[in-house]
Amino acid sequence: MKKKIVGGVVLVAMVVLMLWLIAGLNTNPEPDRVLVTTYPIYQLARNVTHGAEGLQVQLMLPPGLGCPHDYVLTPQDMRRLEAAEVLIINGLGMEIFLDRALARVGQHLSVIDTSAGIDPLPGVAHDRDHDHQDHHGHHHHHGQDHHHGQDHDHDHDCSHGRDEGAWNPHLFASPRLAAEIVANIADGLARLNPEATAIYEQNAAAYGERLRQLADEFHELGKLIDNGRIVVQHDVFDYLAAEMGLEVVALLHVHPGQEPAAAEVLRIINEIRQKDVRAILIEPQYSDRTARMISRETGVPVVLLDPVANGPVDAPLDHYEQVMRRNLESLRKVLLEPNSINQPGT
């Protein structure tokens, strides 16, 4: 009987010891799960969080998607939302698809709206022909006289899908505004994780300075251009055009990815001829069929410009800068050295 008692005590002691050892192995907490909705914001967030321990930053949407204007959430997306502690969004109506999902997920998820405090341009819900020079002409240099702290009824209340199309959500395509997005990400993460504030602030300061220097190069190029009239596929480059003093004469796709009707194509061709448009800018995520056809009709060259709306998920940290520098050189060639561009349709 005594042997059984002793054996039982030993067994209990061994179990307790094993549990204690297991507990000791798990003293490190699970990493904070940060989910980022779109590819360009994910690339900016990676630079802010680089070197921060205990932080797991993931991209929610497929890296090759581009702007998620018509995206539909998948079950995998819902699982990622439920597991996340922080959600970093583009804002300004880009994440209209998230509204119902966030209501289901509950209050455990902290949302960082990277557009907070940034003065937006009107989006496709506004009449783009109204006061056109204010938005796209040489009278408006958006990034040079920027105003902070203006609510514009789009931040601080988690109505992330409100007024879809009322504001242009493509802030990220401007290096100057990308620097402000970086600052918003750092501020939001510092509030949620004060222990890593120094890392976020240091990363954001260094990265933001590089982005502003890049923005200055775009701005300086704009001052050298005597004809900055362009046609674009959709309104992703509005902020960059405003900073450079370029005029967006027409959109090929008022609704991204939707080809224009024949009557609209004829109208665009006539406007290109009347206004002496210098270039048609296309994006890698959309078909160039209509742009090439218009180019053949008008003699205006087609130039590829990448807004970094999609790309490789494991891209280097300076991926955004690399792509934007290629854009800078493409604009330099077509707007300052048009003879260096291949003939339309080639």
Side-chain angles (χ1 to χ4, degrees):
M1 183 67 179
K2 288 183 180 181
K3 289 183 179 180
K4 289 182 179 180
I5 294 174
V6 172
V9 171
V10 171
L11 179 60
V12 170
M14 290 178 64
V15 170
V16 170
L17 179 61
M18 288 178 63
L19 291 174
W20 180 79
L21 288 172
I22 292 172
L25 292 174
N26 291 328
T27 53
N28 294 327
E30 287 289 320
D32 294 330
R33 294 182 176 88
V34 177
L35 194 61
V36 188
T37 53
T38 63
Y39 182 82
I41 305 302
Y42 171 70
Q43 293 302 332
L44 300 179
R46 288 178 64 214
N47 280 270
V48 175
T49 60
H50 182 63
E53 296 181 0
L55 202 66
Q56 185 182 77
V57 181
Q58 292 184 326
L59 174 62
M60 179 178 177
L61 304 184
L65 177 66
C67 295
H69 297 286
D70 299 311
Y71 188 73
V72 178
L73 286 173
T74 68
Q76 184 180 20
D77 294 331
M78 286 303 302
R79 288 192 291 272
R80 286 177 174 172
L81 278 172
E82 291 166 355
E85 297 173 56
V86 178
L87 179 68
I88 302 177
I89 68 169
N90 182 95
L92 293 175
M94 182 73 83
E95 287 88 357
I96 186 71
F97 58 88
L98 271 180
D99 283 357
R100 292 184 180 179
L102 291 179
R104 284 180 54 189
V105 169
Q107 299 299 315
H108 81 278
L109 190 62
S110 297
V111 179
I112 298 174
D113 184 345
T114 63
S115 71
I118 300 178
D119 185 16
L121 291 174
V124 293
H126 288 256
D127 181 0
R128 294 183 60 88
D129 292 328
H130 175 69
D131 199 18
H132 192 75
Q133 281 290 334
D134 269 351
H135 303 319
H136 302 297
H138 290 267
H139 302 299
H140 183 80
H141 298 274
H142 185 272
Q144 297 299 313
D145 298 304
H146 194 67
H147 302 289
H148 294 264
Q150 298 186 26
D151 186 10
H152 289 281
D153 195 32
H154 75 269
D155 56 62
H156 302 307
D157 68 355
C158 297
S159 298
H160 309 295
R162 180 183 53 249
D163 296 335
E164 181 195 19
W167 303 113
N168 186 319
H170 306 106
L171 302 169
F172 57 85
S174 153
R176 195 174 307 281
L177 297 184
E180 299 199 30
I181 290 172
V182 164
N184 280 341
I185 294 172
D187 290 345
L189 289 175
R191 287 195 301 270
L192 298 171
N193 184 20
E195 294 82 3
T197 296
I199 293 177
Y200 302 143
E201 290 182 348
Q202 181 178 357
N203 287 344
Y207 189 44
E209 180 58 27
R210 295 202 305 273
L211 293 175
R212 284 186 290 273
Q213 290 176 0
L214 180 56
D216 288 342
E217 294 182 45
F218 276 99
H219 183 64
E220 291 302 311
L221 173 61
K223 292 194 295 187
L224 300 176
I225 295 168
D226 58 356
N227 178 357
R229 289 182 288 277
I230 57 175
V231 167
V232 297
Q233 283 191 308
H234 85 299
D235 62 347
V236 71
F237 291 116
D238 278 14
Y239 293 99
L240 185 62
E243 285 187 14
M244 296 182 66
L246 308 181
E247 180 185 350
V248 178
V249 171
L251 301 178
L252 298 184
H253 304 164
V254 175
H255 302 289
Q258 182 176 323
E259 296 292 338
E264 178 64 11
V265 171
L266 289 176
R267 187 194 68 78
I268 293 172
I269 288 174
N270 288 333
E271 194 163 11
I272 287 174
R273 287 170 173 163
Q274 291 171 8
K275 294 190 175 181
D276 187 26
V277 167
R278 178 62 63 85
I280 301 170
L281 306 184
I282 61 173
E283 305 163 47
Q285 60 263 40
Y286 296 119
S287 168
D288 65 353
R289 183 175 63 86
T290 299
R292 297 289 178 187
M293 183 270 291
I294 292 175
S295 176
R296 288 191 294 271
E297 290 292 323
T298 61
V300 175
V302 172
V303 178
L304 180 68
L305 231 61
D306 189 347
V308 203
N310 59 7
V313 70
D314 58 348
L317 287 176
D318 65 348
H319 177 68
Y320 180 91
E321 296 162 86
Q322 290 182 19
V323 174
M324 282 296 166
R325 287 206 171 276
R326 288 198 294 270
N327 291 339
L328 179 66
E329 292 310 308
S330 295
L331 288 172
R332 189 186 309 278
K333 286 181 179 180
V334 72
L335 297 178
L336 283 186
E337 309 164 21
N339 293 333
S340 68
I341 300 296
N342 291 332
Q343 291 298 313
T346 62

